[in-house]
């Protein structure tokens, strides 16, 4: 499969992934007890959705960038309400030098990891510096990696946080995943990523 620096290959993969998500009713924004799987989705269709997402993620493994992300995985099982919720930590994370486009705002490097639920949906977590949240060292969830072009022509990255950050709702599942990532932090290996297509791929293809 062509690399992500090939625009046509990127657009094709993104289109296929969006079509699949729409066909099975899987949407982002599943944190904080917001329903993301329509109630009319039957058990049989749910099973098919899981299989298709697994096949999609396997296909992404043909791309060198995703192959590195998917090489090292760690299971995360969180008990909430007497039920076990299975997740997978992609232990090969990334590092982004993010910050405001305003020159006077200090930029910082964030460590980012991806967690997949049983549906193959991504959850993004970053290691907090504590600047806004007061929770230095804790892995906190965020919506996606933002990117844009500055006047200089250089791409600038940022983290799009959930509404209410840093005062997140008390969500046992999210808190459990955050704690589990911290406990397995010794397994996490992050590498610097500055390529625009790699950043977009995390948002659009996972």
């Amino acid at each position: 499969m062509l690399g992500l620096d090939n625009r046509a290959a990127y657009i094709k993969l993104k289109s296929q992934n969006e079509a699949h998500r729409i066909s099975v009713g899987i949407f982002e924004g599943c944190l904080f007890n917001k329903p993301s799987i329509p109630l009319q989705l039957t058990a049989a269709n749910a099973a098919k959705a899981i299989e298709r997402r697994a096949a999609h993620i396997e296909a992404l493994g043909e791309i060198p960038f995703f192959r590195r992300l998917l090489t090292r995985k760690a299971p995360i099982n969180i008990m909430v309400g007497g039920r076990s919720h299975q997740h997978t930590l992609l232990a090969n994370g990334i590092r982004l030098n993010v910050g405001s486009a305003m020159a006077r705002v200090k930029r910082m490097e964030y460590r980012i990891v991806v967690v997949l639920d049983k549906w193959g949906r991504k959850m993004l977590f970053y290691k907090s510096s504590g600047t806004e949240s007061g929770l230095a060292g804790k892995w906190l969830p965020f919506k996606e990696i933002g990117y844009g072009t500055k006047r200089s022509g250089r791409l600038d990255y940022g983290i799009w946080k959930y509404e209410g950050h840093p005062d997140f709702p008390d969500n046992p599942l999210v808190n459990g995943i955050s704690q589990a990532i911290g406990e397995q932090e010794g397994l996490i290996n992050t590498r610097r990523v500055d390529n625009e297509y790699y950043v977009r791929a995390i948002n659009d293809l996972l």
Side-chain angles (χ1 to χ4, degrees):
M1 184 176 292
L2 296 175
L4 287 174
D5 56 342
N6 184 290
R7 183 179 296 271
Y10 166 79
I11 293 175
K12 180 179 179 181
L13 279 170
K14 179 180 177 181
S15 176
Q16 290 175 344
N17 190 38
E18 288 179 346
H20 166 68
R21 291 189 189 204
I22 293 174
S23 69
V24 298
I26 295 181
F27 304 96
E28 294 302 325
C30 58
L31 299 180
F32 308 142
N33 294 322
K34 295 179 180 178
S36 55
I37 303 298
L39 296 178
Q40 66 268 25
L41 191 63
T42 66
N45 287 337
K48 290 180 181 178
I50 293 176
E51 291 179 3
R52 289 173 182 170
R53 286 294 291 168
H56 174 74
I57 296 212
E58 183 178 353
L60 290 181
E62 298 179 24
I63 301 172
F65 171 72
F66 276 107
R67 186 182 305 125
R68 284 189 290 267
L69 286 183
L70 296 166
T71 295
R72 298 169 67 244
K73 302 177 183 179
I76 295 178
N77 295 319
I78 309 298
M79 293 296 298
V80 177
R83 296 179 56 188
S84 176
H85 299 263
Q86 300 177 354
H87 294 77
T88 301
L89 166 67
L90 304 187
N92 281 339
I94 66 172
R95 286 179 287 117
L96 281 180
N97 186 19
V98 304
S100 170
M102 299 170 60
R104 64 177 179 271
V105 177
K106 182 179 179 181
R107 297 176 63 81
M108 62 183 65
E109 190 170 71
Y110 279 113
R111 296 177 65 193
I112 296 170
V113 295
V114 179
V115 174
L116 303 177
D117 67 6
K118 71 175 183 178
W119 299 87
R121 296 173 300 187
K122 71 176 183 298
M123 294 183 181
L124 298 173
F125 286 79
Y126 74 98
K127 188 172 183 179
S128 175
S129 65
T131 302
E132 295 181 11
S133 66
L135 301 172
K138 185 172 181 178
W139 291 87
L140 299 177
F142 68 101
K143 285 184 179 180
E144 62 180 330
I145 303 169
Y147 50 87
T149 303
K150 297 174 62 176
R151 291 183 179 179
S152 63
R154 182 176 63 82
L155 282 171
D156 198 33
Y157 301 105
I159 289 180
W160 295 0
K161 300 174 182 178
Y162 283 102
E163 183 179 355
H165 178 86
D167 299 319
F168 295 108
D170 184 17
N171 186 299
L173 179 59
V174 175
N175 291 336
I177 295 173
S178 173
Q179 181 178 346
I181 295 174
E183 292 173 351
Q184 302 193 62
E185 192 167 338
L187 300 176
I188 297 174
N189 178 41
T190 56
R191 61 188 295 269
R192 180 74 176 270
V193 171
D194 289 317
N195 185 291
E196 172 191 0
Y197 286 104
Y198 293 163
V199 172
R200 290 186 179 184
I202 294 173
N203 287 334
D204 300 337
L205 300 185
L206 265 177

